[in-house]
């Protein structure tokens, strides 16, 4: 007997059967959207992946957003949503704001403004076998640095003239840049007339040595030249320009210093005794007097002595126009723990005692003597470090640390409870203020460049040569157990470094030239207001 159903029952059976087929299918394609788009011949749009995986997926150049529970802003640590549009920070919104953009939630990872390193020796052109813009910028990005300022020496020719700067610019434009690069001009005897042309061409600051620089084509300056250079730099259009000084100065009377003969050439103590603290204090005293005479903004590079930091502190209280930096290696290492014959730790000024290291931290965090932290990345081929014989007297002086500034600083800061806002200022914001970059970089602020570092401050990492992107892998940081790990670095809104994949994507890095006549920079009043009495 055939079954017959009323129209209502037939309709009900049809709806139920349709649901039994379509609901599981809909759920499947919701979980696997690419299957549906592949079936229909449509390319799937790029969307973010699961929370915390830190994979910002998007089409190049498209707007998107990053959400984190720890976004470091000038207003404090925020649970926020950063909108990135056309290489700029489009907005900073409440984390729960609904927007029609791809959103990557990176969970509890810290999002900070990309680091700015004001003291890097890239060595190109002329010594690209030491380091070059491609390798240096890649290492910078791997360490969360999105802008570096290239020092004027150790390249050939040094950046002391307009023609030399043109060669430097040509090398930069030929390179694959993973971060932005700005230039520091050299102020050396015989090239005083080049300071104004270099400023007009776009350098961000000038640099001199008050002691032998190790480079014959970059001679140090005497007291008379120092005053001449400061007088000229202080009057440049668009001042304040910064005059950076390697502030060590020896003297004939130093022959009375204790002999280092009881130490062998393999002992770091011999190198330490060969460059006493008085060299720093003497040079800084003289530089401050010349600055007071000329009104020039001086910046003391790589302060290695806590006694020197005290001189800077007192000068700031008296209104001196001086800022200063300290290097990560001076904050992290101490002389007695440097292994015998490990010339990778040789630098100038030298790494000093534990008490001195603690004094530098006090000067940095408590009294405002020291303003920022740099790497003073000064690489060289291994043979120039004489690592095989471990001879400190013969080894090139310089530590390769560009990639490790964030991790090294964060590790060294653990006993001092440095917060993320202050850390970001020391590595980015204050650097931008001093060197005239604050209108575009240094902080997570609407309208500034979308240069960001996403990192995990809780993860520990033992530094391996295989992970190093410097041209030469040997570094004083190799084998060190450091806190923090960079997960992703973003330059002009584009991902340049991924912890899983290394350097990725295009090369968004740019050559930065300071615009003639710009007023961006620190006034003398702003410098004075930062010091703690």
């Amino acid at each position: 007997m055939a079954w017959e159903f009323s129209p209502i029952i037939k309709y009900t059976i049809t709806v139920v059967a349709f649901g039994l087929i379509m609901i599981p299918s809909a759920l499947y394609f919701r979980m696997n959207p690419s299957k549906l788009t592949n079936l229909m011949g449509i390319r799937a749009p790029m969307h973010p992946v699961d929370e915390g995986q830190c994979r910002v997926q998007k089409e190049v150049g498209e707007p998107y957003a990053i959400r984190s529970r720890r976004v470091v802003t000038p207003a404090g640590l925020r649970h926020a949503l950063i909108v990135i549009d056309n290489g700029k920070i489009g907005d900073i919104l409440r984390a729960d704001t609904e927007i029609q953009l791809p959103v990557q939630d990176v969970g509890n990872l810290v999002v900070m403004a990309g680091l700015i390193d004001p003291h890097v020796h890239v060595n190109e052109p002329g010594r690209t076998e030491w380091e070059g813009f491609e390798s240096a910028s890649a290492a910078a990005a791997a360490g969360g640095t999105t802008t570096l300022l290239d020092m004027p020496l150790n390249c050939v020719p040094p950046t002391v003239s307009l023609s030399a700067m043109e060669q430097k610019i040509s090398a930069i434009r030929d390179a694959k840049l993973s971060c932005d690069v700005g230039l520091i001009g050299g102020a050396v005897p015989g090239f005083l007339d080049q300071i104004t042309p270099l400023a007009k061409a776009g350098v961000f600051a000038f640099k001199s040595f008050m002691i032998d620089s190790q480079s014959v084509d970059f001679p140090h300056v005497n007291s008379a030249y120092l005053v001449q250079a400061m007088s000229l730099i202080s009057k440049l259009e668009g001042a304040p320009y910064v005059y950076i000084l390697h502030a060590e100065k020896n003297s004939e009377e130093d022959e009375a210093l204790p002999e280092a003969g009881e130490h062998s050439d393999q002992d770091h103590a011999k190198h330490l005794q060969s460059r006493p603290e008085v060299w720093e204090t003497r040079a800084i005293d003289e530089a401050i007097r010349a600055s007071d005479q000329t009104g020039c903004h001086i910046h003391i590079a790589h302060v290695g002595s806590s006694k020197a930091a005290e001189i800077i502190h007192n000068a700031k209280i008296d209104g001196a126009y001086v800022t200063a930096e300290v290097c990560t290696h001076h904050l992290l290492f101490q002389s007695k723990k440097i292994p015998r014959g490990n010339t990778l730790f040789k630098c100038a000024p030298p790494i000093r005692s534990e008490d001195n290291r603690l004094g530098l931290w006090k000067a940095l965090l408590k009294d405002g003597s020291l303003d920022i932290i740099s790497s003073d990345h000064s690489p060289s081929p291994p043979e120039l470090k004489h690592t095989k014989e471990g001879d400190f007297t013969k080894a090139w002086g310089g530590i390769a640390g560009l990639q490790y500034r964030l991790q090294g600083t964060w590790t060294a800061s653990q006993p001092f409870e440095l917060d993320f806002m202050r850390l970001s200022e020391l590595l980015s914001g204050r650097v931008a203020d001093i060197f005239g970059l604050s209108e575009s970089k240094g902080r997570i602020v609407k309208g500034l460049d979308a240069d960001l570092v996403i990192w995990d401050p809780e993860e520990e990492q033992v530094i391996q040569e295989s992970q190093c992107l410097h041209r030469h892998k040997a570094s004083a940081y190799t084998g060190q157990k450091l806190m923090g790990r960079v997960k992703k670095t973003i330059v002009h809104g584009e991902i340049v470094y991924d912890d899983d994949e290394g350097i990725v994507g295009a090369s968004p890095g740019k050559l930065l030239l300071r615009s003639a006549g710009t007023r961006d920079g620190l006034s003398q009043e702003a410098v004075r207001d930062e010091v703690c009495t």
Side-chain angles (χ1 to χ4, degrees):
M1 182 177 77
W3 293 90
E4 293 186 5
F5 300 100
S6 68
I8 293 177
I9 293 176
K10 289 180 180 179
Y11 176 76
T12 302
I13 292 172
T14 301
V15 170
V16 171
F18 182 81
L20 290 173
I21 294 171
M22 294 305 296
I23 290 174
S25 298
L27 290 173
Y28 173 76
F29 286 122
R30 180 176 178 82
M31 297 298 294
N32 301 274
S34 62
K35 302 292 185 182
L36 178 61
T37 56
N38 291 340
L39 182 67
M40 299 175 65
I42 301 173
R43 184 168 59 87
M46 301 297 279
H47 290 295
V49 297
D50 294 339
E51 174 180 328
Q53 295 301 304
C54 194
R55 294 195 178 278
V56 181
Q57 298 189 29
K58 66 181 190 67
E59 297 296 336
V60 174
E62 285 186 353
Y64 67 104
I66 297 172
R67 180 188 292 117
S68 170
R69 296 187 189 95
R70 293 191 285 183
V71 176
V72 182
T73 74
L77 198 64
R78 293 180 54 187
H79 186 193
L81 192 68
I82 305 171
V83 176
I84 297 173
D85 188 4
N86 196 30
K88 300 288 186 180
I89 297 172
D91 214 340
I92 302 109
L93 305 171
R94 286 170 49 98
D96 57 359
T97 305
E98 294 186 7
I99 57 174
Q100 299 302 311
L101 291 174
V103 177
Q104 171 59 47
D105 194 321
V106 300
N108 209 40
L109 296 178
V110 173
V111 182
M112 290 195 329
L115 279 53
I116 304 172
D117 195 335
H119 197 143
V120 179
H121 295 271
V122 176
N123 306 328
E124 188 176 3
R127 286 198 177 109
T128 311
E129 70 275 12
W130 293 28
E131 191 74 276
F133 286 106
E134 186 166 334
S135 57
S137 65
T145 294
T146 54
T147 300
L148 66 84
L149 298 183
D150 176 46
M151 284 289 154
L153 69 157
N154 300 347
C155 50
V156 180
T159 316
V160 297
S161 67
L162 198 55
S163 62
M165 183 174 175
E166 288 168 353
Q167 293 181 57
K168 176 79 75 172
I169 289 173
S170 178
I172 293 172
R173 286 179 172 159
D174 289 341
K176 180 180 179 182
L177 294 181
S178 298
C179 73
D180 287 351
V181 176
L183 301 178
I184 307 295
V188 299
F191 290 87
L192 194 65
D193 63 342
Q194 292 295 299
I195 288 178
T196 299
L198 285 170
K200 290 181 177 179
V203 300
F204 283 87
F206 293 89
K207 168 76 176 286
S208 289
F209 271 67
M210 297 178 70
I211 198 169
D212 180 25
S213 72
Q214 298 187 96
S215 296
V216 295
D217 52 4
F218 201 91
H220 67 282
V221 301
N222 60 24
S223 300
Y225 183 94
L226 198 65
V227 173
Q228 286 180 301
M230 287 189 192
S231 297
L232 185 54
I233 291 169
S234 66
K235 296 178 176 63
L236 289 171
E237 181 185 4
Y241 276 83
V242 181
Y243 189 21
I244 306 167
L245 294 170
H246 180 124
E248 288 182 288
K249 189 166 185 176
N250 53 3
S251 169
E252 290 182 2
E253 62 193 49
D254 292 338
E255 292 177 1
L257 290 169
E259 290 292 332
E262 67 270 21
H263 299 291
S264 78
D265 295 342
Q266 285 74 41
D267 291 334
H268 180 265
K270 186 166 188 175
H271 172 58
L272 178 59
Q273 273 195 325
S274 74
R275 301 186 85 100
E277 284 185 277
V278 68
W279 285 14
E280 289 191 70
T281 57
R282 177 189 295 135
I284 290 170
D285 267 333
E286 180 177 327
I288 290 171
R289 288 196 302 271
S291 171
D292 289 344
Q293 179 181 338
T294 60
C296 183
H297 177 184
I298 60 170
H299 179 79
I300 308 301
H302 44 53
V303 175
S305 160
S306 58
K307 292 180 181 177
E310 290 177 12
I311 292 173
I312 295 168
H313 177 250
N314 292 332
K316 284 186 173 184
I317 291 175
D318 291 339
Y321 202 177
V322 56
T323 52
E325 70 187 46
V326 62
C327 295
T328 300
H329 50 260
H330 286 124
L331 295 172
L332 180 62
F333 302 125
Q334 59 118 323
S335 57
K336 286 189 176 180
K337 291 190 177 180
I338 294 175
R340 190 172 190 270
N342 193 335
T343 56
L344 297 175
F345 287 87
K346 181 179 179 180
C347 59
I351 295 166
R352 303 191 188 278
S353 69
E354 175 66 2
D355 285 345
N356 182 79
R357 186 184 75 86
L358 296 175
L360 291 175
W361 271 108
K362 175 180 179 292
L364 183 70
L365 299 181
K366 300 296 185 184
D367 61 26
S369 305
L370 305 176
D371 298 85
I372 58 174
I373 302 170
S374 72
S375 71
D376 187 14
H377 177 67
S378 185
S380 68
E383 56 269 23
L384 290 183
K385 294 297 288 186
H386 292 273
T387 53
K388 290 184 179 180
E389 60 264 50
D391 191 332
F392 277 96
T393 63
K394 295 179 181 177
W396 176 266
I399 289 178
L402 175 58
Q403 188 169 329
Y404 309 118
R405 189 166 60 118
L406 174 58
Q407 291 172 289
T409 300
W410 182 240
T411 301
S413 76
Q414 292 307 297
F416 308 102
E417 299 181 351
L418 179 65
D419 62 52
F420 295 125
M421 287 76 74
R422 186 72 181 277
L423 177 69
S424 184
E425 283 295 299
L426 292 171
L427 298 175
S428 305
R430 184 71 170 167
V431 186
D433 291 341
I434 291 171
F435 290 96
L437 288 161
S438 59
E439 291 184 358
S440 59
K441 298 181 182 295
R443 298 177 178 91
I444 297 180
V445 172
K446 182 178 179 179
L448 299 194
D449 291 344
D451 296 346
L452 305 170
V453 55
I454 302 172
W455 65 293
D456 184 346
E458 283 78 40
E459 185 173 346
E460 293 185 333
Q461 179 183 15
V462 176
I463 301 303
Q464 306 290 338
E465 284 192 3
S466 60
Q467 301 162 330
C468 181
L469 299 186
H470 304 149
R471 184 173 299 284
H472 300 288
K473 311 308 177 187
S475 169
Y477 292 90
T478 303
Q480 301 291 328
K481 187 176 183 180
L482 300 182
M483 291 277 296
R485 189 171 188 128
V486 174
K487 296 297 184 178
K488 203 171 297 289
T489 303
I490 296 170
V491 176
H492 296 292
E494 302 299 331
I495 302 162
V496 295
Y497 174 79
D498 180 278
D499 187 37
D500 294 326
E501 303 175 34
I503 298 298
V504 296
S507 305
K510 302 176 181 179
L511 168 65
L512 303 178
L513 296 173
R514 177 168 172 160
S515 299
T518 179
R519 299 300 299 181
D520 197 11
L522 280 183
S523 67
Q524 187 167 1
E525 291 73 21
V527 170
R528 184 186 60 224
D529 290 346
E530 286 293 323
V531 70
C532 303
T533 58

